[in-house]
Amino acid sequence: MNPIVHFEIPAKDMGRAKEFYSKLFGWNINTFEGEAAANESYMTVETTKEPTCLGGGILPKMQEGHNITIYIGVDSVDEYSKKVEELGGKVCCPKMAVPKMGYFVCCIDTEENPFAIWEEDKNAELTKEQLEFQKKECPPEDCSCCSATCQ
């Protein structure tokens, strides 16, 4: 199996994006410095000190629709959903279960990029409310992140 090894987050305001993600997840974000840097408008993102773990970058948003969606592991999607909103982001949909795997919440950051937070839980089960949301309201109009998960 091929693991994800990199991600890029487009940003309208690179400084604001850096502040959002560094405060939300404690990531180290720095301007890319090296021979391959064509300009100073790319920032590297270090998500952990572990060499085999995912890292990525933040770059200027090239045009509307320049988005990605990534799932970011957290201890509690409930706690991080609150933190997302406190930092100026938006929660698009309620906590949803992937049975016997975990829970996710789709969000939009301060740069209008969709992303999701993921909490592993082998006992996760769909509730009646979650099933109703999937049938009636999924995906929300303003969240492209959720569209892939709505059936």
Side-chain angles (χ1 to χ4, degrees), residues 54-69:
L54 183 64
I58 298 175
L59 71 164
K61 185 172 280 209
M62 303 303 175
Q63 73 267 345
E64 290 305 311
H66 182 196
N67 294 311
I68 62 165
T69 300

Side-chain angles (χ1 to χ4, degrees), residues 21-43:
Y21 283 102
S22 62
K23 285 184 177 179
L24 182 61
F25 297 113
W27 291 348
N28 293 320
I29 301 173
N30 299 293
T31 301
F32 180 71
E33 297 176 9
E35 290 182 36
N39 56 50
E40 295 183 19
S41 59
Y42 191 90
M43 292 186 285

Side-chain angles (χ1 to χ4, degrees), residues 12-146:
K12 290 180 181 177
D13 182 322
M14 305 252 310
R16 186 173 62 196
K18 176 181 179 178
E19 180 177 317
F20 179 83
Y21 283 102
S22 62
K23 285 184 177 179
L24 182 61
F25 297 113
W27 291 348
N28 293 320
I29 301 173
N30 299 293
T31 301
F32 180 71
E33 297 176 9
E35 290 182 36
N39 56 50
E40 295 183 19
S41 59
Y42 191 90
M43 292 186 285
T44 58
V45 179
E46 180 181 285
T47 62
T48 179
K49 296 291 184 189
E50 298 295 326
T52 59
C53 291
L54 183 64
I58 298 175
L59 71 164
K61 185 172 280 209
M62 303 303 175
Q63 73 267 345
E64 290 305 311
H66 182 196
N67 294 311
I68 62 165
T69 300
I70 55 176
Y71 285 75
I72 301 164
V74 298
D75 293 332
S76 167
V77 293
D78 295 323
E79 288 176 26
Y80 273 82
S81 293
K82 291 176 191 170
K83 198 169 180 181
V84 164
E85 291 179 330
E86 289 170 3
L87 290 168
K90 180 180 178 182
V91 173
C92 300
C93 65
K95 176 177 168 180
M96 301 295 285
V98 177
K100 300 184 190 308
M101 293 182 72
Y103 297 96
F104 69 92
V105 173
C106 293
C107 306
I108 296 177
D109 71 11
T110 56
E111 305 311 304
E112 301 174 7
N113 294 305
F115 72 99
I117 50 179
W118 171 262
E119 174 187 340
E120 188 173 325
D121 184 344
K122 302 293 183 196
N123 297 314
E125 294 182 20
L126 278 169
T127 64
K128 284 184 179 182
E129 292 82 13
Q130 291 170 345
L131 288 169
E132 285 300 310
F133 177 83
Q134 284 182 333
K135 289 177 186 174
K136 293 181 181 177
E137 300 176 51
C138 203
E141 287 183 26
D142 60 352
C143 187
S144 61
C145 173
C146 295

